[in-house]
Amino acid sequence: MGIPQLLKYVNSKSHLWEEVILQDTKLVIDGLGLCYYLYKHEFKFDFRCGGQYGEFYHAVDSFFTALSSKRVECFVIFDGADDPSDKKLETLQERAIQNIQTADALAKSAANPKFLLPLLTKDVCLQALRDLGIQFAVCDSEADAEIASLAQSLNCPVLGDDTDFFIFDVKAGYIPLSFFDWKGGQLTASIFYRSKLASHFGIRAELIPLLASLAGNDYVKTHALEAFYRALTGSPGTQHFSRSEERFRKIANKLSEPPDSCNQQEALESVLQMISSEDRCKLKQAVQLSLQEYNIKESNLFDYFTTGAVCSSLRTRNGHEIKQWVLERFRSGLFSTKFMNSLTSGKCLLRVQVENCDEISANRSSLRLRQFVYGILNDVEEGTNEPGNLPSVQEWDRAGTELEQFNVAPYEEGVVPGISLMPYLETTETLNVLLFALDSADTPEIEALPQDMKIFAASLRYLLNHAQPELKMNHLLALLCCCVKLQDNLAEENVKTQSTDLRAAHSFCQWQSVLIDAINLNRILLEPVLTPYIHKIYNGQTAHSLAEKLNQRCAPEELIPSSKQQLFNQLKTAVTKNLLHKIAPEERPRERNSGRKAKDSHVKTASKKSDDGKRWENRFAFLRDLEEQDSQDDDK
């Protein structure tokens, strides 16, 4: 939820902290907080170009290797589905709008200090954890309370990056990631205990959640607190406190007035007596919602980590139980939280990337894939009139720089197998479903590729069919070259990102959107093909650097290792077979006053070549070969 200014306030009070050395202990870690911290703060990776995923993968590896060396047993917890009651929908929409504004600002200026986590970062982190054998889980909904509960059950500290952990009753303490040094010989940290904060304010520890709620968070908005703050300060204006310290102190003083015999609810009733009954009712309702979130319940994850049992309260939107195998895959990070949101609430807030906000959303390119997934989740039994799980899904996505709702119907053409059937289908059947959804059915060139290349190539074929605007040839070649180079860990180094090509950025954002939905579909189909390692097929800086070199008339063959030429040729054939007409026509420069005509672009070679014309022609020789092959195939 987050309490504004609390971190700054607590940081300023040195007596609230203890210095510790971590070793021979258990540790519960906020997974998403760790992703943000490592990516943004610890390593300061590039996020405008679409993700330094290889570098991030190795950062996660280094982090947990350091903890393992001191015998720290880690339990990493990630957020699950959004609350289906919609009690946080307004907050989620506000954050989505902020992210759209951030994306637009970052796309327009490299000097903008804002930050947006690249789309596939969490998935890369999950893969690194699997490879390292680190214990992790995706919880049912928001992770904060589950993290605190698990830490209580394990009697160990929490490591995270959220001010809510100052409020939860974690007896073994909370360590902010920014106060944790894991790169030295020892693991040193500053640890916080809630009991010390209570002593500092002169109130009982169990009233700390009430203090935090009255200070404002995701559930208790500023407008709901106006009357309370006016009564607390005697000020009629809206700026009631000049400093956050003054706000916390005055609230704490008010909470210290009721006798110690009062419980949390009675203390709330007491402090609300100072405002009118109308304002009191609204604020009380908001505060009670907030207090529920700080209430630590028995952990659903303790049994998961000790016995492997998956207990879940998740239900479909129409109240049906979710199949146990789906819940097991969801808990282990193999079923997308985005699609679990759709299944449990019928809503899906799509993430925005650093893209061209003057164009249609990059998420639109993968709309048909999501409709296909919705068709599977709808789970309508053929030949019956029973309603499905998802008659439609409310998608919230960017439209320009605004957030808009789109009602999306599940895919219904032909027969889409329901999710109930998945465990009973043959691999050949689910593979056919996957390739059909990716516009790659009856494409032997895709089937001939190595297992870990099939989704990569098929997702590019799909993108050629659905990109808006159409994919440029150089952008396609950059993605192919990028993938091939990363097979040998040859990411571009020291790439400057001050003048990112916005058209290229939008193309790459579209592909990331397609790629993640293709991966999610593959997992829902129980993985008829291997899921590729994201950090082995895409690196944003490398892709942009390659696109720039291709724009400078480098041939693709010059940009990749000779040992990977065969793989490159296989991929380009599989991706472009019968789809060359889908590639964007190149924009020709206007004729200059001198009458000298500009050189033709990629597919159409100028009849009067410049000095490097032969090189330019050779660069696209493979396109002519493919066109000839397409023509021969059409004649058969």
Side-chain angles (χ1 to χ4, degrees):
M1 290 183 286
I3 302 99
Q5 302 300 314
L6 181 59
L7 179 61
K8 181 179 179 181
Y9 177 79
V10 173
N11 285 356
S12 68
K13 310 299 177 186
S14 58
H15 63 280
L16 298 178
W17 300 89
E18 288 184 19
E19 300 301 313
V20 296
I21 295 175
L22 281 187
Q23 60 183 23
D24 301 300
T25 185
K26 292 179 171 62
L27 185 66
V28 179
I29 300 175
D30 173 10
L32 190 58
L34 179 66
C35 289
Y36 272 92
Y37 177 74
L38 290 178
Y39 201 102
K40 179 183 179 182
H41 299 292
E42 189 70 41
F43 290 94
K44 299 177 173 59
F45 292 134
D46 172 79
F47 52 90
R48 290 180 174 83
C49 289
Q52 285 183 262
Y53 295 128
E55 295 89 335
F56 177 70
Y57 177 94
H58 294 299
V60 175
D61 185 305
S62 298
F63 180 83
F64 285 100
T65 298
L67 270 65
S68 297
S69 71
K70 300 300 179 183
R71 300 166 301 283
V72 176
E73 185 180 2
C74 299
F75 301 83
V76 188
I77 312 301
F78 291 88
D79 290 310
D82 297 332
D83 193 309
S85 70
D86 288 349
K87 63 183 180 181
K88 286 197 71 172
L89 181 60
E90 181 182 351
T91 296
L92 293 172
Q93 290 171 339
E94 288 173 356
R95 289 178 184 169
I97 292 169
Q98 291 171 0
N99 287 339
I100 292 170
Q101 294 169 347
T102 296
D104 187 43
L106 290 171
K108 291 177 178 176
S109 172
N112 194 290
K114 294 181 178 180
F115 175 80
L116 202 61
L117 192 70
L119 183 66
L120 309 180
T121 307
K122 173 187 167 184
D123 295 86
V124 173
C125 182
L126 289 173
Q127 186 59 61
L129 295 178
R130 290 187 190 99
D131 293 345
L132 291 165
I134 301 297
Q135 301 171 93
F136 71 89
V138 177
C139 57
D140 280 359
S141 54
E142 192 170 16
D144 294 356
E146 194 65 61
I147 288 170
S149 178
L150 181 62
Q152 284 294 78
S153 298
L154 297 172
N155 191 28
C156 70
V158 167
L159 179 67
D161 192 27
D162 193 320
T163 52
D164 283 327
F165 294 122
F166 289 121
I167 309 305
F168 285 108
D169 184 19
V170 181
K171 295 292 193 299
Y174 165 54
I175 302 170
L177 279 156
S178 56
F179 285 26
F180 180 50
D181 182 4
W182 57 276
K183 289 184 174 179
Q186 292 182 318
L187 304 177
T188 59
S190 297
I191 193 166
F192 168 90
Y193 297 97
R194 190 179 79 161
S195 57
K196 288 193 172 188
L197 183 62
S199 297
H200 170 76
F201 282 130
I203 61 175
R204 288 173 289 131
E206 54 266 32
L207 294 182
I208 289 293
L210 181 53
L211 184 148
S213 301
L214 291 171
N217 57 26
D218 288 350
Y219 290 104
V220 189
K221 303 292 186 181
T222 302
H223 62 81
L225 289 162
E226 283 292 318
F228 175 67
Y229 286 169
R230 282 197 301 270
L232 199 61
T233 64
S235 169
T238 57
Q239 300 298 322
H240 306 292
F241 300 104
S242 58
R243 296 179 301 137
S244 58
E245 181 168 354
E246 181 185 359
R247 179 172 86 250
F248 294 130
R249 175 59 64 186
K250 283 186 175 292
I251 296 171
N253 288 342
K254 198 66 184 173
L255 290 176
S256 67
E257 293 177 1
D260 289 346
S261 59
C262 285
N263 60 28
Q264 187 172 247
Q265 189 62 36
E266 291 168 338
L268 173 60
E269 296 284 359
S270 175
V271 299
L272 292 184
Q273 292 302 314
M274 59 197 301
I275 60 177
S276 69
S277 58
E278 182 179 354
D279 292 326
R280 187 187 312 155
C281 183
K282 293 178 182 177
L283 181 55
K284 181 180 178 180
Q285 184 178 14
V287 170
Q288 286 177 329
L289 274 176
S290 172
L291 292 176
Q292 289 175 15
E293 298 302 310
Y294 291 122
N295 183 31
I296 295 182
K297 302 175 183 176
E298 185 177 356
S299 173
N300 271 340
L301 297 182
F302 182 74
D303 286 343
Y304 176 72
F305 286 119
T306 54
T307 69
V310 175
C311 301
S312 173
S313 59
L314 292 173
R315 297 290 183 272
T316 66
R317 183 173 65 168
N318 51 7
H320 294 165
E321 288 190 0
I322 297 174
K323 301 295 182 182
Q324 186 64 22
W325 69 266
V326 174
L327 295 174
E328 289 171 359
R329 290 182 69 80
F330 176 69
R331 188 73 80 229
S332 62
L334 295 174
F335 190 101
S336 163
T337 55
K338 174 170 69 178
F339 290 121
M340 185 59 77
N341 280 335
S342 305
L343 184 59
T344 57
S345 69
K347 296 181 179 65
C348 183
L349 275 80
L350 301 175
R351 288 181 56 192
V352 67
Q353 303 175 67
V354 182
E355 57 192 76
N356 186 352
C357 290
D358 292 333
E359 295 284 2
I360 196 167
S361 168
N363 292 314
R364 191 67 62 86
S365 60
S366 60
L367 173 61
R368 183 174 173 274
L369 274 181
R370 293 195 301 279
Q371 287 181 289
F372 211 89
V373 172
Y374 298 152
I376 293 174
L377 299 182
N378 196 27
D379 207 19
V380 175
E381 187 175 346
E382 190 176 5
T384 70
N385 294 321
E386 292 293 323
N389 295 322
L390 292 175
S392 69
V393 176
Q394 291 180 14
E395 287 192 347
W396 295 84
D397 194 12
R398 177 184 70 78
T401 54
E402 303 294 329
L403 180 68
E404 289 193 12
Q405 176 188 322
F406 301 88
N407 291 321
V408 178
Y411 184 88
E412 294 179 349
E413 294 179 25
V415 179
V416 178
I419 195 164
S420 297
L421 296 176
M422 290 304 151
Y424 308 104
L425 297 178
E426 298 290 337
T427 301
T428 52
E429 295 176 293
T430 54
L431 176 60
N432 288 337
V433 172
L434 177 67
L435 294 179
F436 174 78
L438 289 170
D439 297 337
S440 298
D442 302 319
T443 308
E445 291 81 3
I446 292 288
E447 296 179 21
L449 290 172
Q451 275 283 318
D452 59 348
M453 290 287 117
K454 291 181 194 269
I455 285 182
F456 168 76
S459 66
L460 283 175
R461 283 187 65 83
Y462 176 94
L463 181 61
L464 280 175
N465 273 322
H466 299 275
Q468 300 180 57
E470 296 169 310
L471 197 64
K472 283 188 173 184
M473 176 56 72
N474 272 356
H475 301 164
L476 173 61
L477 293 175
L479 289 170
L480 291 170
C481 290
C482 180
C483 174
V484 168
K485 285 173 69 72
L486 291 176
Q487 302 310 300
D488 287 343
N489 298 315
L490 298 176
E492 302 282 308
E493 296 181 357
N494 302 317
V495 179
K496 294 182 180 180
T497 59
Q498 296 301 309
S499 56
T500 301
D501 179 347
L502 197 53
R503 176 70 182 268
H506 199 78
S507 293
F508 300 155
C509 286
Q510 289 190 84
W511 180 65
Q512 288 201 65
S513 179
V514 170
L515 176 64
I516 192 58
D517 283 338
I519 288 174
N520 289 333
L521 174 59
N522 185 50
R523 286 173 171 162
I524 288 172
L525 294 169
L526 301 180
E527 299 186 86
V529 300
L530 286 177
T531 297
Y533 276 37
I534 291 167
H535 72 283
K536 296 290 290 182
I537 59 176
Y538 183 73
N539 179 295
Q541 285 191 330
T542 298
H544 276 274
S545 175
L546 290 166
E548 184 176 351
K549 290 176 181 178
L550 289 163
N551 287 339
Q552 294 168 355
R553 297 187 173 184
C554 284
E557 292 78 6
E558 298 175 55
L559 303 176
I560 57 177
S562 57
S563 62
K564 296 298 179 183
Q565 289 288 343
Q566 183 177 355
L567 176 60
F568 175 79
N569 291 332
Q570 274 187 284
L571 288 170
K572 74 188 180 190
T573 300
V575 170
T576 59
K577 185 69 177 291
N578 297 325
L579 292 180
L580 288 174
H581 62 286
K582 295 287 188 176
I583 294 171
E586 292 300 323
E587 299 174 1
R588 300 183 184 183
R590 294 180 181 178
E591 295 183 13
R592 302 189 183 279
N593 293 335
S594 63
R596 186 169 64 98
K597 293 191 175 181
K599 297 169 184 174
D600 262 352
S601 55
H602 302 172
V603 179
K604 296 181 179 179
T605 307
S607 57
K608 294 183 178 180
K609 301 180 179 63
S610 59
D611 292 340
D612 62 345
K614 290 183 179 179
R615 177 181 172 204
W616 186 249
E617 184 178 38
N618 290 337
R619 176 186 172 204
F620 290 101
F622 79 85
L623 289 179
R624 293 195 298 276
D625 293 342
L626 288 173
E627 287 172 338
E628 291 172 3
Q629 183 64 47
D630 287 352
S631 177
Q632 292 171 12
D633 290 344
D634 291 341
D635 291 339
K636 290 180 180 179

